Amino acid sequence: MAEDKKNILFVSKEDLVLFLKRASGKPFVATQINNWIYNKFVFDFDSMLNISKNMREILKQNFFFDLPKIETIQKSFDGTKKYLLKLKDDMFIEMVMIPNPKKKTVCISSQVGCARNCKFCATAKLGLIRNLTVSETLGQILLVSKELFPYKLTNIVFMGMGEPLDNYENVLQAIRFIKSEDRLRFSPRRVTISTSGVIPGINKLAEENLNIKLAVSLNSAVNEKRNEIMPINKTYPLDELKNTLLNFRKKTNFRITFEYIMIKNFNMDNSDIKALRKFVGDISCKINIIPWNPVGNLTFKSPSKYEIDEFRNKLQENLNIAITLRNSRGQDIDAACGQLVAKKCQGRDNGFIL
Ligand code: SAH
């Protein structure tokens, strides 16, 4: 029996009902199990106290829970919590929970490391180690839901480690899972995929009819500058990206969010604003500006508060769209993606230095 144990997260309610009918003649236990897992976030059969001890033993013999382990939790003074999660192969990923009075947002990872090599990013230093499985992706969402309980998780953003569109099938599968009636019933409109601009992935996503939100890490609307900090721009340059996004907008309901990291003396002058205006002009969108969060020994510079305000005001004057400033939350806990894992791996002498 042991070899045939199934990951309970992947067992549909119908299959669970069938199993329970055969094993005990008590199909209603399926509803109790789902209630424990998806409403109370209990991931251990022994704690499912309204299920008989005998039944719990049967469940343990046939199913298992497969969730990442919380290695450390760092709490910021602003309530942000950063989780270092350990996977079965001893790899680490990060997950960040960002609470505010109205929303409880989790920022999750899609890969261990990343292949896209953005020059300002800590995760890039790891290179791509591997894709996360569906179970590891789901696992992050369930773990954070348990942490938040009795509050409910309201938003999920794929803005942690990795490029979600480079792990397309697993990310989409995880979203379909959390959406399903028998599981979290989590609305895809509260899920955002953030991409460095993987055009084939965006095109595929446009055809999915899933109603999720898309964020694009733009960071510069000048090709030469974007080439410099985001090598993906050499494969998928700005004009092609723009056509792809115009097409995406025709097929989906939501405005696109552009993320724009502000790097001092690099992408914040008048010519950058002019290029940005030209690029986003006819795309229905909003822009999220983010001060670059210092990473290890990288030589980029973060802008001062004055420079941020000046840039923001100029953008507002020149562009007729919503501009939001993402306060760098959790700065005291290395909340910029990849920083914690990079430090951890540095300690294990994996050959890269931040
Ligand atoms: N690969 C995806 C998702 C992961 S990066 C993407 O590129 O969108 C998530 C966001 O974090 C991106 O907008 C990226 O530009 C930003 N980011 C990465 N390193 C950062 C840093 N050091 N400071 C501020 N933002 C950073």
Side-chain angles (χ1 to χ4, degrees):
M1 188 75 80
E3 308 85 68
D4 300 336
K5 272 194 184 188
K6 290 199 168 82
N7 180 346
I8 186 82
L9 301 182
F10 290 163
V11 180
S12 69
K13 181 135 183 229
E14 297 82 62
D15 286 345
L16 197 53
V17 165
L18 277 179
F19 169 85
L20 289 162
K21 261 189 194 157
R22 266 189 274 116
S24 65
K26 290 179 180 163
F28 63 88
V29 173
T31 304
Q32 293 175 321
I33 296 171
N34 269 17
N35 193 28
W36 281 111
I37 302 176
Y38 299 108
N39 291 328
K40 297 191 174 129
F41 307 105
V42 167
F43 311 130
D44 148 33
F45 293 115
D46 282 327
S47 305
M48 300 184 175
L49 294 175
N50 59 353
I51 298 174
S52 74
K53 201 153 184 276
N54 185 30
M55 187 70 233
R56 281 186 257 148
E57 283 307 317
I58 296 177
L59 291 171
K60 279 198 293 189
Q61 279 161 21
N62 287 278
F63 304 104
F64 63 91
F65 282 94
D66 181 28
L67 291 149
K69 296 235 160 15
I70 297 178
E71 177 87 355
T72 56
I73 305 177
Q74 286 181 284
K75 290 181 195 157
S76 167
F77 64 89
D78 65 15
T80 302
K81 281 190 192 170
K82 181 154 187 163
Y83 297 83
L84 183 67
L85 304 179
K86 191 174 184 176
L87 308 175
K88 274 201 295 220
D89 56 359
D90 289 346
M91 291 287 162
F92 292 96
I93 52 165
E94 295 172 15
M95 166 176 97
V96 183
M97 196 273 288
I98 308 144
N100 75 29
K102 286 198 202 130
K103 287 204 271 183
K104 308 274 176 266
T105 303
V106 69
C107 172
I108 62 172
S109 294
S110 54
Q111 298 180 310
V112 185
C114 183
R116 293 297 171 180
N117 202 15
C118 297
K119 300 302 175 197
F120 47 79
C121 175
T123 304
K125 305 280 155 201
L126 303 169
L128 176 63
I129 298 172
R130 68 171 176 84
N131 281 336
L132 293 191
T133 62
V134 179
S135 182
E136 289 162 343
T137 312
L138 276 177
Q140 295 174 75
I141 296 164
L142 291 176
L143 279 180
V144 81
S145 300
K146 185 184 182 79
E147 289 282 304
L148 280 168
F149 191 79
Y151 293 103
K152 268 197 177 298
L153 178 67
T154 61
N155 295 75
I156 299 170
V157 296
F158 281 87
M159 290 182 191
M161 296 169 69
E163 168 50 58
L165 296 184
D166 283 343
N167 185 16
Y168 188 94
E169 292 306 330
N170 289 352
V171 164
L172 267 280
Q173 188 60 25
I175 296 172
R176 289 191 199 99
F177 256 86
I178 56 167
K179 175 186 165 206
S180 82
E181 276 304 305
D182 292 338
R183 295 187 173 90
L184 283 176
R185 294 180 295 274
F186 198 94
S187 165
R189 56 179 56 231
R190 290 187 281 115
V191 177
T192 302
I193 287 188
S194 177
T195 179
S196 53
V198 182
I199 288 180
I202 300 172
N203 282 335
K204 234 168 141 187
L205 202 57
E207 304 299 328
E208 294 280 349
N209 238 333
L210 241 189
N211 240 350
I212 55 180
K213 290 183 179 160
L214 184 68
V216 177
S217 300
L218 190 60
N219 302 330
S220 175
V222 180
N223 259 319
E224 302 76 55
K225 286 194 186 184
R226 200 165 187 265
N227 284 344
E228 213 178 296
I229 54 170
M230 300 181 71
I232 188 175
N233 197 62
K234 295 177 195 157
T235 317
Y236 304 121
L238 285 166
D239 51 344
E240 286 176 35
L241 180 61
K242 178 164 178 164
N243 286 336
T244 306
L245 295 175
L246 284 169
N247 176 53
F248 185 86
R249 273 300 290 129
K250 281 191 205 138
K251 311 233 164 134
T252 58
N253 292 332
F254 301 113
R255 280 187 298 170
I256 286 161
T257 299
F258 286 110
E259 294 159 282
Y260 195 98
I261 301 182
M262 292 172 282
I263 304 173
K264 187 183 169 92
N265 298 335
F266 181 74
N267 62 357
M268 299 178 70
D269 70 18
N270 290 341
S271 63
D272 295 305
I273 294 177
K274 210 171 146 200
L276 198 50
R277 180 191 164 122
K278 190 159 169 261
F279 185 82
V280 303
D282 38 5
I283 307 176
S284 112
C285 64
K286 49 190 173 179
I287 300 185
N288 203 340
I289 53 175
I290 311 152
W292 180 69
N293 206 347
V295 169
N297 64 358
L298 294 184
T299 51
F300 296 111
K301 288 198 172 67
S302 309
S304 65
K305 188 175 173 323
Y306 176 81
E307 288 161 332
I308 294 171
D309 288 344
E310 199 188 16
F311 183 70
R312 182 190 193 168
N313 291 339
K314 278 194 189 162
L315 274 186
Q316 207 83 67
E317 280 165 24
N318 281 278
L319 277 75
N320 193 18
I321 51 179
I323 315 281
T324 48
L325 171 66
R326 190 193 299 160
N327 293 319
S328 260
R329 299 211 30 196
Q331 245 182 352
D332 53 324
I333 54 165
D334 294 333
C337 90
Q339 287 185 332
L340 208 60
V341 169
K343 275 189 184 168
K344 179 105 188 154
C345 295
Q346 195 184 3
R348 291 159 78 213
D349 195 16
N350 271 16
F352 50 85
I353 304 159
L354 263 185

